[in-house]
Amino acid sequence: MINLLILPILIPLFTAIVLIFMVKYVAAQRVLSVVSTLGTLTASIVLLMKVRADGVQSLNLSSWDAPFGITLVSDMLSILLVTTTSLITLCVIIYSARSIGVERERFYYYAVIQFLLVGVNGAFTTGDIFNLFVFFEVMLMSSYVLIVIGGTKIQLRESIKYILVNIISSAIFVIAVAYLYSIVGTLNMAHVSERIAEVGQPPILTVVAVLFLIVFGLKGAIFPMYSWLPGSYYAPPVPILALFGSLLTKVGVYSIMRTYSLFFYHDQAFTHDLLGILAIITIIAGCIGAIAYWDVKKIIIYNIIIAVGVLAFGVSLLTEESIRGTIFYIIHDMIIKAALFLMIGIMIKITGTSNLRQMGGLIKKYPLFGWSFLLTCFGLAGIPPLSGFPGKLMIVRAGLEEGAYVGALTVLLSSLFVLYSVIKIFMNGFWKAPKDYPGEDQQPVWFLWAPAAILVAVSVVYGVGAETMYPIISQATDALVNPTIYIDAVLKE
Amino acid sequence: MEILMSIVIGILFSSAVYLMLSKSLLRIIIGTGLLSHGAHLLLITMGGLKTGTVPLLGEHAKSYVDPLPQALILTAIVISFGVTAFFLVMAYRAYQEIGTDNMDQMRGNEAND
């Protein structure tokens, strides 16, 4: 079935439309969201099998031939990300049923989440640069609604900043697309890549490359463009924060990976070195934030920035091994960040505060939750059998091979800071003397813990089964390191 | 013609940047309006301003202007329209709740640092 490609976009879209008509029936909304997201997940897994068997899949919408219509392209990287996204969204929806509150659920919460899923899945799957912009806007518009839903003071204040930053970056995206169109005269990504290869990337294209770096850096929080993130992500409730933290920045990173490996790989001396330097500073800035705060949300938010820096460093090397490491790491990081946010959400639910100094002794009452949190921390830092390890190992090894010693060392040292920052949460939150928290007994925690535990289990399997994942990741790497595979699949020459 | 348009677009961008760096929220929103104007004009300029008929096949002309940038702009316009409407309503709500439109007074977080 050739239309399989569009299902991960179409299923959430139709679900969202149906959900709009049933806002008053909260229970039905929950059931429908879970069922349809399961459907999305199934469709993406089937598509994953198909890509695994037959290579890069492409679908020309309305049967217009490739450079003229919009093409959807699923190579291994994008379908892996789509599958991960669907899984995370499923877990967050289950988590939301108990934690987000009926007032928000009655206000189109689940419909907007489905629209967010449309935007993210679409951005991963599209093969057209302007269509990427449109899917970005679908994603961002849903994220505007999600960040402000509920309308508390802090949410209103922070979402103004969030929206302003994203309006500016969207305008720069339009400008960058306009310049690119005036140079190459096409919008289809494979065709753009081919035309750039013909002219061999003159300086003007390097300027466009930097412009794209600014756009996607703004979305993905890379060093000078990250300052909006800690404040804005602090505002929304935890399930929304989990969605944002694991999905939105990664779409920016994915776009950088795509454009820098498909378009602008001819003159790497400037663009990729620039990306590398920015990545190193991003890691350092994230580390400073992660160890500075005593607020559990802030600590994990700064950990997002560190991970984005590590990923950007992997992209900047653009060798086969570094890309393989980056792909391994990006999937690990999406899963583990979602799990971590859901878990600190449980901590906040039990204790009623996000201040680490007012917590303590949770392990006495919640041993299972405590140990699974520790497991997540080790996974995040990259302790060998767990999922953070193989990706970082490959990135560091590629860095050492390429002579990027400063970057490799920064990535290694950043692991220490990451470990310190999350172990700080564990030591202060779960150990020490138990405290009494008003109203904690009304909160049934197992229901919140279950979706987080699913994600942790997946990440552990992903880490332990790295050997099984390796050929799949390799296939994703091939299409990225070798643009002709992608171009041939789309233009079918 | 393209050079003239580029200069005009440059002026739009600089006004937008100036407005967005000011303290009042409404000025910032006006700035975003100017910014999207500039971006859309840039899109049509970069598509080329060569003479030709409107892109309607009924015209039976020898040459038409490039229809693609026009479609792109139409898409970008409605998107920025939606975003601006949302932003305006949010600014209104923020004014009701927080009681100020001064960005200086919307600083900080109650983070436990």
Side-chain angles (χ1 to χ4, degrees), chain A residues 366-424:
Chain A
Y366 309 96
L368 203 55
F369 169 45
W371 296 120
S372 60
F373 184 81
L374 187 67
L375 194 63
T376 324
C377 295
F378 286 161
L380 182 75
I383 305 234
L386 300 169
S387 61
F389 177 68
K392 231 174 222 175
L393 176 72
M394 285 184 256
I395 292 176
V396 169
R397 210 160 58 184
L400 293 177
E401 268 168 22
E402 289 290 297
Y405 298 115
V406 182
L409 204 65
T410 319
V411 171
L412 280 178
L413 284 178
S414 78
S415 300
L416 275 183
F417 286 104
V418 167
L419 187 62
Y420 169 74
S421 68
V422 282
I423 287 299
K424 187 164 92 176

Side-chain angles (χ1 to χ4, degrees), chain A residues 31-239:
Chain A
V31 173
L32 180 62
S33 308
V34 170
V35 169
S36 88
T37 315
L38 263 178
T40 314
L41 185 60
T42 320
S44 35
I45 290 173
V46 172
L47 182 54
L48 182 72
M49 301 292 183
K50 176 112 172 121
V51 174
R52 179 86 189 97
D54 304 344
V56 182
Q57 300 288 308
S58 78
L59 169 66
N60 293 329
L61 296 179
S62 308
S63 301
W64 289 95
D65 280 344
F68 303 112
I70 286 176
T71 315
L72 296 181
V73 189
S74 251
D75 63 346
M76 201 36 139
L77 172 62
S78 58
I79 187 56
L80 274 173
L81 293 174
V82 166
T83 314
T84 316
T85 304
S86 310
L87 175 71
I88 289 168
T89 314
L90 179 67
C91 291
V92 170
I93 288 173
I94 298 172
Y95 187 94
S96 303
R98 269 304 163 89
S99 78
I100 198 80
V102 158
E103 299 82 18
R104 286 194 171 98
E105 285 175 305
R106 284 222 179 112
F107 211 81
Y108 305 98
Y109 175 74
Y110 291 113
V112 178
I113 283 198
Q114 294 295 324
F115 278 125
L116 188 79
L117 189 56
V118 173
V120 175
N121 279 353
F124 286 144
T125 317
T126 186
D128 182 286
I129 195 79
F130 196 77
N131 197 231
L132 179 68
F133 165 73
V134 174
F135 275 123
F136 260 110
E137 290 300 312
V138 172
M139 174 186 95
L140 289 173
M141 199 71 197
S142 330
S143 73
Y144 301 156
V145 178
L146 282 178
I147 202 172
V148 83
I149 194 169
T152 58
K153 262 186 193 176
I154 175 171
Q155 278 180 300
L156 283 165
R157 202 179 55 206
E158 293 305 325
S159 34
I160 284 175
K161 297 167 196 169
Y162 179 74
I163 294 185
L164 181 61
V165 166
N166 279 305
I167 287 179
I168 294 169
S169 79
S170 298
I172 302 175
F173 199 168
V174 174
I175 293 165
V177 169
Y179 284 142
L180 189 65
Y181 180 71
S182 77
I183 299 163
V184 296
T186 179
L187 294 168
N188 183 301
M189 276 150 79
H191 202 209
V192 168
S193 169
E194 207 178 47
R195 291 232 170 134
I196 289 177
E198 275 167 20
V199 294
Q201 199 168 344
I204 184 74
L205 275 166
T206 306
V207 175
V208 176
V210 174
L211 212 51
F212 271 116
L213 179 61
I214 294 172
V215 174
F216 298 138
L218 269 166
K219 316 266 185 204
I222 288 177
F223 160 63
M225 289 84 81
Y226 77 98
S227 54
W228 56 273
L229 186 137
S232 300
Y233 279 19
Y234 191 77
V238 165

Side-chain angles (χ1 to χ4, degrees), chain A residues 269-319:
Chain A
F270 182 71
T271 47
H272 288 64
D273 285 1
L274 178 69
L275 183 62
I277 293 166
L278 292 184
I280 292 168
I281 310 177
T282 310
I283 298 173
I284 295 170
C287 286
I288 293 172
I291 57 171
Y293 283 96
W294 277 83
D295 185 298
V296 284
K297 269 174 152 181
K298 278 269 157 143
I299 292 173
I300 311 293
I301 286 171
Y302 275 100
N303 270 303
I304 302 176
I305 297 172
I306 301 176
V308 167
V310 173
L311 292 169
F313 177 68
V315 179
S316 77
L317 296 171
L318 205 66
T319 63

Side-chain angles (χ1 to χ4, degrees), chain B residues 33-80:
Chain B
L34 289 184
L35 187 68
S36 59
H37 273 317
H40 300 154
L41 279 177
L42 185 74
L43 206 45
I44 201 119
T45 310
M46 286 292 130
L49 295 173
K50 291 170 280 303
T51 47
T53 328
V54 288
L56 294 171
L57 282 178
E59 296 286 320
H60 299 297
K62 279 213 178 76
S63 70
Y64 296 92
V65 292
D66 190 351
L68 190 60
Q70 302 194 9
L72 301 187
I73 289 170
L74 200 57
T75 315
I77 284 175
V78 289
I79 289 173
S80 72

